[in-house]
Amino acid sequence: MVVKIDGVENKELGCREKLLSFLKENTHGGKVSPQVEIFKSIDVQKDSFHWVMSTFDVDRDFEKVDPSGWNLKNYLSNPVILWSHDYTIPAIGYAENVKAETVLEGDIVFNSKEFDEFGWSIGQRVKAGALRCGSVGFIAEEVEFLEAKDRECDLIFRKQELLEFSICCVPANPFARNGEKRLEITEVIQEPETLSFYDKLSKGLARA
């Protein structure tokens, strides 16, 4: 889990116990006082471009995100799909039909190879099953702390603003799964021994 406080990443708060303590100290009446950005990953099945982005299940951080609390207003006007929450590179795609009812879900459209080899290559990896995870980035607005001994989790995010959705490698929420709706992507056959720009970068062959 990645946590940013007022826009600055805080690696110490990546620890669940420390984040919980920080939120308790900076939350009054359920309202979180500083701007706390949380990035939580989910797991999906291969070859699916309809993504369940977040569920109300207890995740590996022993936390839950209330699907009825999603604020989508700003995201719907700029529905970016990023690679691993990296704000320094252009979006690798965009989301359509995003909604939050029993779960947060939407359709992902990856960029075409013609203008973005990297974004296209991520889509190909998702299609091949090499990448199966996604992650929500959000600002925590209201939280509920659970103190009872028989509680199922420590914390419930009750209201949160969706900032972006990322494709990434490791999930925090192992319960979120893909839906049935699927979007087709065009098959592109590369010539023999032709490497994509992303593959060249990984092999150190690309030049500025």
Side-chain angles (χ1 to χ4, degrees):
M1 177 171 55
V2 176
V3 179
K4 291 183 179 180
I5 306 298
D6 292 329
V8 179
E9 182 177 347
N10 189 310
K11 294 184 178 180
E12 289 186 0
L13 297 183
C15 169
R16 181 173 61 85
E17 290 77 12
K18 291 185 178 180
L19 174 61
L20 186 63
S21 177
F22 176 86
L23 287 174
K24 286 182 177 180
E25 293 173 359
N26 292 275
T27 300
H28 306 284
K31 302 285 186 177
V32 182
S33 52
Q35 179 176 292
V36 180
E37 297 176 47
I38 310 290
F39 304 92
K40 284 185 170 292
S41 304
I42 64 171
D43 194 12
V44 297
Q45 293 181 1
K46 68 178 182 178
D47 197 23
S48 173
F49 295 89
H50 180 78
W51 293 58
V52 173
M53 300 174 174
S54 178
T55 73
F56 201 23
D57 295 289
V58 178
D59 61 29
R60 293 188 177 112
D61 299 314
F62 210 46
E63 298 166 354
K64 297 171 68 174
V65 182
D66 189 342
S68 67
W70 284 107
N71 176 355
L72 303 177
K73 181 179 179 180
N74 291 329
Y75 182 74
L76 292 178
S77 66
N78 184 41
V80 292
I81 302 299
L82 305 182
W83 166 248
S84 199
H85 305 298
D86 191 343
Y87 292 3
T88 66
I89 62 176
I92 62 173
Y94 61 92
E96 295 181 330
N97 307 315
V98 179
K99 60 182 180 179
E101 295 177 352
T102 57
V103 296
L104 175 66
E105 60 186 323
D107 300 323
I108 290 181
V109 180
F110 291 99
N111 293 340
S112 67
K113 185 181 180 183
E114 284 67 27
F115 69 90
D116 181 10
E117 282 199 18
F118 177 71
W120 170 84
S121 73
I122 297 300
Q124 293 298 301
R125 285 164 170 76
V126 171
K127 183 178 180 181
L131 289 173
R132 303 187 181 192
C133 302
S135 179
V136 285
F138 62 90
I139 295 176
E141 296 178 342
E142 289 189 20
V143 297
E144 177 185 349
F145 302 102
L146 304 180
E147 305 291 352
K149 291 183 179 180
D150 60 347
R151 68 189 187 280
E152 62 174 339
C153 64
D154 290 325
L155 173 70
I156 300 177
F157 293 98
R158 287 298 186 185
K159 290 186 178 180
Q160 55 283 330
E161 178 186 346
L162 182 63
L163 297 176
E164 49 87 11
F165 185 71
S166 287
I167 308 301
C168 64
C169 294
V170 182
N173 182 343
F175 305 103
R177 291 291 186 270
N178 67 306
E180 295 181 354
K181 184 176 181 181
R182 295 167 184 263
L183 297 181
E184 299 295 329
I185 75 172
T186 304
E187 289 280 3
V188 178
I189 301 177
Q190 292 180 306
E191 294 296 326
E193 299 182 1
T194 298
L195 298 177
S196 70
F197 180 70
Y198 178 83
D199 290 327
K200 291 178 181 177
L201 283 176
S202 65
K203 295 177 180 296
L205 299 177
R207 296 181 179 178

